[in-house]
Amino acid sequence: MKLLHACVLGLFVTSGCATTSASRQAPPSLPDTAALDAEVARAMAATGAKGLAIAVIDDGRVVATRAYGARNAQGEPLQTDTVMYGASITKTVFAYTVLQLVDEKKLQLDTPISRYLDKPLPEYPDEQRYSTWSHLADDERWKRITPRHPLTHSVGFANFGFLEPDQRLRFHFDPGSRYAYSGDGLILLQFVLERGLGLDLGAEMQKRVFDRFGMVNTSMVWRPDFAKNLADGWTMEGAVEPHDERSTVRAAGSMDTTIDDLARFAAALVRGEGLSSQSFAELTSPQLAITTKSQFPSLQAELPVEQRRKDLAAGLGVVLFEGPQGRGFYKGGHNDSTGNTLVCLPGARRCVLILANDVRAENAFPQLVRFVLGETGVPFDWEYGDRVFWDGR
């Protein structure tokens, strides 16, 4: 699948198709830190969130990192260098790493993964760190998978094979034919890099991202030194959830990080540092239409054509949207006690990054993003479904 432009997909009709950038809203002034502090305090009071950290990027530079509330049940303060769970924002950092390998011609986005493997995928032994490729032995569609498919969540798998009723990995549609969020798709691409190319993903991400951008408190696996300044989490019911000490590199979401560290990556990403112009364009251009009412459940039925959104598409490792300020991209991260979001507007090279160690903070994400960046068009209703958000009043 070659790069699909907005007009070809019928998407983003205000971006180079029906109108010009002159019709877009000018970026608003960013709030000062005192105003940001006050708005976050209101958001935390309204949602009951115990802890939240936020970073603001302008013109590709980090201009503010702030942390609020508690990092654990003892009430110790959350700080900008407190280690927090990156959750699925890991997927974006992984995609960035993969695109560096593409730039170095070690991988091609549209070459079948079978070309990189020494034997058929289902013949590899099942390993706990990956998935159960042996379950695909009777379905040769695995031969059609290319690296672009995992990065656009279009492999055809469920989110994870172990979530299937019989815990068996299977295809639900032909690779590349539609979007359906899949962590196992990213794990498959990790497998190709490690077993096919002989790379160590953790070492590659450490070298290519964490060391490069001075992310000294970020890792794909647990480090004992994290324990001295670590965030536990709070669930929707207000229960404390201890931080999970992840011992296995998982492209789908094992990264621990801090707001200081991840802000550095976000700033580099929105300015395209470390990627060729072609790879940055691939990451931030529409690759595949998104055709469902919401992101989860991942295998829900596609909407009728006339009901599908035209402002929403998959990029590589991110979701693209079109709004009043032009094209943006974002990626969320979530578990029972974590809520994260990264929203970027590449035209102005602006981003807001929120890492929350209390999942209840997600109810304020639309308002906090709006407060920092103005109206952007982030599809939070697609991301979170029918959730009722705090509107700032």
Side-chain angles (χ1 to χ4, degrees):
M1 181 173 66
K2 295 181 179 179
L3 179 65
L4 298 178
H5 295 288
C7 299
V8 175
L9 280 175
L11 296 162
F12 302 165
V13 293
T14 63
S15 181
C17 301
T19 62
T20 68
S21 60
S23 63
R24 299 175 188 165
Q25 293 180 3
S29 299
L30 296 174
D32 60 29
T33 54
L36 180 60
D37 292 348
E39 187 66 7
V40 172
R42 291 202 317 125
M44 293 176 68
T47 62
K50 298 293 187 181
L52 183 154
I54 191 167
V56 180
I57 289 94
D58 185 30
D59 194 25
R61 297 178 300 108
V62 179
V63 296
T65 57
R66 311 289 284 174
Y68 311 89
R71 68 178 177 89
N72 55 26
Q74 289 71 44
E76 294 177 279
L78 186 71
Q79 301 169 315
T80 61
D81 61 349
T82 297
V83 174
M84 307 176 75
Y85 179 38
S88 282
I89 293 180
T90 305
K91 294 177 173 69
T92 301
V93 186
F94 174 63
Y96 174 91
T97 304
V98 170
L99 287 171
Q100 287 193 344
L101 296 171
V102 171
D103 284 339
E104 295 166 11
K105 303 191 185 308
K106 296 177 181 177
L107 191 75
Q108 292 183 316
L109 288 174
D110 299 310
T111 295
I113 63 168
S114 60
R115 305 275 185 87
Y116 301 106
L117 299 175
D118 293 332
K119 57 186 177 182
L121 178 64
E123 292 184 12
Y124 283 87
D126 295 337
E127 298 179 63
Q128 188 172 4
R129 65 175 295 165
Y130 298 120
S131 189
T132 49
W133 316 131
S134 66
H135 295 171
L136 306 177
D138 296 328
D139 193 332
E140 292 194 341
R141 282 182 286 183
W142 68 267
K143 295 180 179 179
R144 306 184 203 171
I145 299 171
T146 70
R148 193 184 300 271
H149 296 147
L151 296 177
T152 55
H153 291 280
S154 62
V155 169
F157 299 155
N159 194 1
F160 292 101
F162 62 76
L163 297 176
E164 296 276 17
D166 58 0
Q167 298 188 324
R168 292 187 64 82
L169 186 69
R170 59 170 56 85
F171 287 100
H172 291 265
F173 53 83
D174 291 341
S177 61
R178 58 164 288 190
Y179 180 101
Y181 196 90
S182 177
D184 263 348
L186 277 294
I187 296 298
L188 174 58
L189 185 51
Q190 175 184 347
F191 178 84
V192 170
L193 300 187
E194 295 190 329
R195 292 291 184 268
L197 300 186
L199 302 175
D200 178 328
L201 179 62
E204 292 294 326
M205 294 179 73
Q206 185 68 46
K207 173 182 66 177
R208 295 172 178 276
V209 185
F210 309 151
D211 291 346
R212 176 174 188 149
F213 299 122
M215 300 167 68
V216 296
N217 292 311
T218 300
S219 175
M220 287 294 285
V221 292
W222 170 257
R223 288 183 356 210
D225 63 298
F226 288 167
K228 65 181 182 293
N229 188 5
L230 181 68
D232 294 327
W234 279 268
T235 68
M236 195 64 75
E237 294 73 33
V240 177
E241 188 78 23
H243 189 93
D244 187 357
E245 299 178 7
R246 294 166 180 83
S247 60
T248 303
V249 173
R250 298 273 289 177
S254 68
M255 182 178 67
D256 282 324
T257 189
T258 71
I259 194 71
D260 281 341
D261 280 5
L262 199 55
R264 294 186 183 99
F265 169 74
L269 179 64
V270 79
R271 63 179 183 259
E273 182 175 336
L275 297 179
S276 68
S277 57
Q278 172 65 17
S279 284
F280 184 66
E282 293 261 16
L283 188 146
T284 58
S285 295
Q287 306 287 319
L288 181 70
I290 292 175
T291 56
T292 53
K293 180 180 179 181
S294 58
Q295 182 158 225
F296 295 104
S298 60
L299 292 169
Q300 65 188 272
E302 296 181 281
L303 291 169
V305 172
E306 65 275 10
Q307 295 180 25
R308 296 176 185 177
R309 296 176 63 148
K310 291 181 168 54
D311 62 342
L312 192 60
L316 298 180
V318 295
V319 171
L320 306 179
F321 61 91
E322 185 75 13
Q325 298 181 56
R327 182 175 301 171
F329 64 84
Y330 87 102
K331 183 70 187 80
H334 170 94
N335 71 6
D336 287 346
S337 58
T338 300
N340 299 336
T341 195
L342 169 65
V343 177
C344 293
L345 300 173
R349 302 203 301 181
R350 282 183 171 181
C351 304
V352 61
L353 169 67
I354 305 173
L355 303 180
N357 61 324
D358 189 324
V359 73
R360 292 172 292 188
E362 290 176 332
N363 291 335
F365 282 3
Q367 171 59 20
L368 290 175
V369 171
R370 185 164 50 243
F371 184 80
V372 175
L373 296 179
E375 293 291 348
T376 60
V378 182
F380 285 117
D381 55 340
W382 176 81
E383 174 84 3
Y384 291 105
D386 296 328
R387 178 178 296 202
V388 177
F389 296 105
W390 175 65
D391 63 4
R393 290 184 290 184

